[in-house]
Amino acid sequence: MRYIFDHDFHVHTQLSPCSSNPEQNPTRILQYAKENNLKTVITTDHYWDERIHSETDPYGIDNQTIHSWGPYPQEDGIRMLLGAEADIDLNGVLGINRQTCEEFDFIHISATHMHMDGFTCRGDESVEERIEMYINRFDIILNADLPFHKIGFTHPVTDLIGPDYINFVKVLDGIPDSEFRRLFKGAAERGMGIEINISSMRADDEVKKYVVLTPQMNPSVYRPYRIAKEMGCKFYFGSDAHRPRSFPFVKPFAEELIDIMGLEESDKFTLS
Ligand SMILES: [Zn+2]
Ligand SMILES: [Zn+2]
């Protein structure tokens, strides 16, 4: 059975400084879920648990703010949940722990935010260092004591690892199949989800504005997903929408990606 697009586990609200769009609020997000027949929608603002010490200057909202929406509006047949998007700082410190996870329904961890100078990176790292950072950070997640049934590996493929488009492909291509196999096997064994991030799988196009990257256009972005699938990983979708104008693109993109990747319902990561 073909994978059904029925969820979005990665939506930012106006609380994330990179959104700050007053229309990006729970009521509007619920409307988006309703219009697209989504059964589950999760808000995941950028977050660093302030109880965890970092020598850097973490990006993300504090504990009180992320819980400030209060109970989410509910609609029959739609689960709207509270999640977060967490980071690993440049010293390898993970900004959440098992205790943090008890306060959220779901948490993305990013191993691939390599664009936040002074927090997740220095900024002057070479391609070789970025390859090493990718692998090390994936290992940090796999070795952490976490409830993996509600943990997702967000945007395994994103130009932020470059942090520009040219180097992004070099970094991805520099990770050997054997390493991707080892890492995704670990993810599959732990039962964590692997995200298909809508914002990261597109290219700007002069005429159509945005187009979905295809394996012909950019084989590099599909190799990690192909290996993850071979290793038995389960996948969830995340729009990474920061503002309502992104919402109309999400479902058509997701449907295209389901076909391109040949995803079945059995490939789906579900949140119990
Ligand atoms: Zn992100
Ligand atoms: Zn995000």
Side-chain angles (χ1 to χ4, degrees):
M1 187 185 173
R2 185 179 179 272
Y3 191 107
I4 299 165
F5 176 68
D6 59 2
H7 62 276
D8 185 341
F9 285 6
H10 194 150
V11 183
H12 290 272
T13 78
Q14 62 180 271
L15 297 179
S16 286
C18 44
S19 164
S20 70
N21 184 319
E23 287 173 45
Q24 192 74 351
N25 57 53
T27 308
R28 181 64 186 85
I29 294 166
L30 184 68
Q31 186 195 328
Y32 152 68
K34 202 173 160 183
E35 286 166 359
N36 290 276
N37 295 320
L38 303 183
K39 290 196 187 117
T40 308
V41 63
I42 311 181
T43 66
T44 55
D45 285 308
H46 293 283
Y47 171 75
W48 182 279
D49 187 339
E50 63 206 26
R51 293 164 292 196
I52 297 170
H53 179 72
S54 173
E55 291 292 331
T56 68
D57 184 18
Y59 177 80
I61 54 178
D62 58 47
N63 291 35
Q64 198 186 343
T65 308
I66 200 159
H67 292 283
S68 65
W69 285 120
Y72 277 144
Q74 296 297 321
E75 186 91 30
D76 274 353
I78 303 173
R79 274 198 301 181
M80 188 165 175
L81 304 174
L82 179 70
E85 180 171 8
D87 272 291
I88 297 168
D89 76 10
L90 56 82
N91 299 311
V93 178
L94 174 60
I96 55 147
N97 58 26
R98 184 170 276 278
Q99 187 197 342
T100 321
C101 293
E102 287 171 17
E103 295 157 15
F104 295 93
D105 297 304
F106 182 76
I107 295 187
H108 300 284
I109 307 174
S110 169
T112 54
H113 283 160
M114 299 187 199
H115 63 301
M116 297 171 174
D117 299 1
F119 169 35
T120 56
C121 58
R122 296 188 313 272
D124 61 353
E125 287 89 348
S126 64
V127 166
E128 289 67 32
E129 275 177 282
R130 288 168 187 275
I131 292 167
E132 216 172 291
M133 282 158 74
Y134 191 115
I135 295 168
N136 288 344
R137 288 174 187 193
F138 205 147
D139 272 322
I140 287 169
I141 299 170
L142 295 179
N143 293 326
D145 171 30
L146 295 170
F148 285 103
H149 65 278
K150 54 170 164 171
I151 297 292
F153 186 87
T154 186
H155 40 58
V157 166
T158 166
D159 56 2
L160 302 175
I161 60 177
D164 56 56
Y165 198 82
I166 302 291
N167 283 331
F168 146 61
V169 174
K170 288 186 191 162
V171 174
L172 276 185
D173 288 348
I175 301 170
D177 279 6
S178 57
E179 278 293 36
F180 271 135
R181 270 198 215 101
R182 181 183 67 78
L183 295 164
F184 284 120
K185 184 168 182 279
E189 284 168 355
R190 282 156 187 76
M192 67 188 286
I194 304 295
E195 184 183 55
I196 301 169
N197 185 284
I198 298 285
S199 306
S200 305
M201 302 296 277
R202 67 180 196 201
D204 291 331
D205 178 273
E206 283 300 312
V207 184
K208 290 199 315 198
K209 189 62 186 160
Y210 298 120
V211 290
V212 173
L213 289 171
T214 64
Q216 290 72 29
M217 288 159 71
N218 196 333
S220 303
V221 308
Y222 285 93
R223 184 174 61 104
Y225 283 113
R226 180 174 46 75
I227 295 172
K229 200 163 169 252
E230 280 167 18
M231 293 296 112
C233 286
K234 303 291 180 191
F235 303 94
Y236 65 92
F237 276 91
S239 65
D240 216 345
H242 285 65
R243 44 198 67 79
R245 72 159 193 265
S246 302
F247 290 145
F249 296 103
V250 180
K251 192 175 163 65
F253 275 18
E255 296 292 356
E256 257 190 85
L257 289 166
I258 288 166
D259 285 337
I260 288 171
M261 294 178 165
L263 295 176
E264 300 284 324
E265 266 297 270
S266 54
D267 296 314
K268 188 181 281 179
F269 173 79
T270 49
L271 198 55
S272 47

